[in-house]
Amino acid sequence: MANNKGVIANNKKPLKYHNRREHPLHRLPFVHLRKNKSGASFWAVPRTGSYQGSVEAGEALACMYLKHLREHGASPCGNLQHVVLEMCGMGSLGVHLTQEQNSLAGQIVGFFSTLDGWLAASAKGFGRNLDTANPSDLLAKANAGLNLRNPAMGAK
C-alpha cells in the first residue's frame, strides 16, 4: 500500500482540538493540516498504546466525530471515507496505488461516504446523549488510551 505514515510516525504529542481552524471538521484532534497546503490527513493519530488502550482511544475519537456530525452534519460527499483511507495508508488517492489498491479505495469511498450521511442523520435525530459528551473528557480518554504502553496481547 502507499506509504502514508509520515504524519502518524512523527505525531507523538498528545492529541488536541484545533479550535482556531476555519472548517469545523479540521478542528477535530485527529485531523492534521499538511504544511505544504496539500490538504489534510484525516487520521493523524499516533500508533501508541496497548490494544485495549487503542480501542478506548478509538471509541473516544468516534464519539468526537459523531458529536461533530450532530452539530455540523455531513459534508455533501461525506468525510468518513477520508478517515478510513488514512487508516489504510491510502490518504492521497491515486498516488502510487496499484490498480487493486485503487479499486479498494473506490470501494472504501463508496461504502463510507454512504454510511457518513446515515450516521449524520442518526446523530442529529437520535444523538441527544452526544449533547452532554464533554469534549475535554473525550480528549482525555483518547490520550490516555494512546499512552498505555503495555504491549497488546500477541504483539511482538
Side-chain angles (χ1 to χ4, degrees):
M1 296 213 167
N3 184 355
N4 201 23
K5 289 184 171 181
V7 172
I8 296 167
N10 295 328
N11 183 11
K12 300 295 183 191
K13 299 176 189 169
L15 297 175
K16 64 179 185 173
Y17 286 97
H18 310 284
N19 293 323
R20 288 188 262 168
R21 291 184 181 163
E22 181 181 353
H23 300 292
L25 179 69
H26 295 170
R27 296 175 194 152
L28 293 171
F30 52 84
V31 177
H32 172 79
L33 297 181
R34 294 187 175 105
K35 292 185 189 324
N36 60 3
K37 299 191 183 209
S38 65
S41 169
F42 289 92
W43 195 252
V45 178
R47 294 181 181 175
T48 59
S50 69
Y51 176 84
Q52 184 58 42
S54 295
V55 167
E56 292 171 13
E59 289 171 352
L61 295 169
C63 286
M64 290 176 199
Y65 185 68
L66 289 170
K67 189 170 177 69
H68 164 80
L69 289 176
R70 179 159 173 83
E71 294 171 358
H72 303 284
S75 72
C77 297
N79 292 304
L80 189 57
Q81 72 273 17
H82 298 299
V83 173
V84 176
L85 287 166
E86 290 283 347
M87 288 175 166
C88 295
M90 295 190 250
S92 299
L93 282 178
V95 177
H96 308 297
L97 297 180
T98 67
Q99 186 281 325
E100 190 175 277
Q101 291 167 335
N102 204 38
S103 176
L104 176 60
Q107 294 165 20
I108 288 169
V109 168
F111 187 88
F112 287 97
S113 62
T114 300
L115 284 179
D116 206 35
W118 286 97
L119 283 172
S122 295
K124 285 219 179 248
F126 303 108
R128 280 184 226 79
N129 60 331
L130 294 168
D131 296 338
T132 59
N134 183 318
S136 297
D137 292 344
L138 292 173
L139 187 62
K141 179 180 177 181
N143 281 318
L146 294 171
N147 288 322
L148 293 176
R149 299 288 181 195
N150 299 330
M153 290 178 54
K156 295 179 182 178

